Amino acid sequence: MTTYIQKNIEKAQNAVPHSVFKKIVSSLVVSVSGLFVVYLYLVGALTFSVIEQKNVEQNLKKTTSAMGTVELSYLGQERGLTKEYAHSLGFVDYSQVAYTDMTHGLAINSN
């Protein structure tokens, strides 16, 4: 196999001048090196992207779990939310319903 490759290299060297052959070989070496660097960059970027995605998924699971805990806490305390409890915290009954205008952010009271 190696003799076959050497014969082909000798044929190629004899077919083109030495200076042109050196330019072709050096161009191929530079091209292959550049493609290898691009390949390494893409593999590295893909690896870091996968790691970041796993971190995001773990954070999402933690946040969802925390939300569930807060919801359970609220559902447990919901029965104790009465009008008397609200009055004890300083809330007052409203006399009229106020409407808001979303375009201007103003509260309009219908007196």
Side-chain angles (χ1 to χ4, degrees):
M1 180 73 167
T2 57
T3 58
Y4 176 75
I5 294 173
Q6 288 176 347
K7 286 180 184 179
N8 284 337
I9 290 174
E10 289 174 7
K11 285 180 187 177
Q13 286 176 341
N14 293 334
V16 293
H18 187 63
S19 60
V20 175
F21 183 75
K22 283 181 81 174
K23 286 181 184 179
I24 291 172
V25 170
S26 62
S27 298
L28 286 174
V29 168
V30 169
S31 298
V32 168
S33 299
L35 288 174
F36 184 70
V37 168
V38 169
Y39 171 77
L40 287 178
Y41 171 76
L42 292 176
V43 168
L46 180 66
T47 303
F48 286 120
S49 176
V50 168
I51 291 170
E52 183 62 28
Q53 181 180 359
K54 287 187 179 189
N55 288 339
V56 168
E57 288 174 359
Q58 286 178 350
N59 289 340
L60 182 63
K61 287 178 184 177
K62 288 178 184 177
T63 304
T64 304
S65 175
M67 285 175 48
T69 304
V70 170
E71 287 175 353
L72 284 175
S73 172
Y74 169 74
L75 291 174
Q77 295 175 359
E78 183 181 20
R79 291 190 181 129
L81 299 177
T82 61
K83 213 176 225 189
E84 292 76 26
Y85 179 67
H87 287 181
S88 71
L89 293 176
F91 289 94
V92 295
D93 289 326
Y94 58 90
S95 58
Q96 293 179 345
V97 177
Y99 299 96
T100 61
D101 182 3
M102 294 301 289
T103 58
H104 301 292
L106 298 173
I108 302 170
N109 198 352
S110 59
N111 282 339

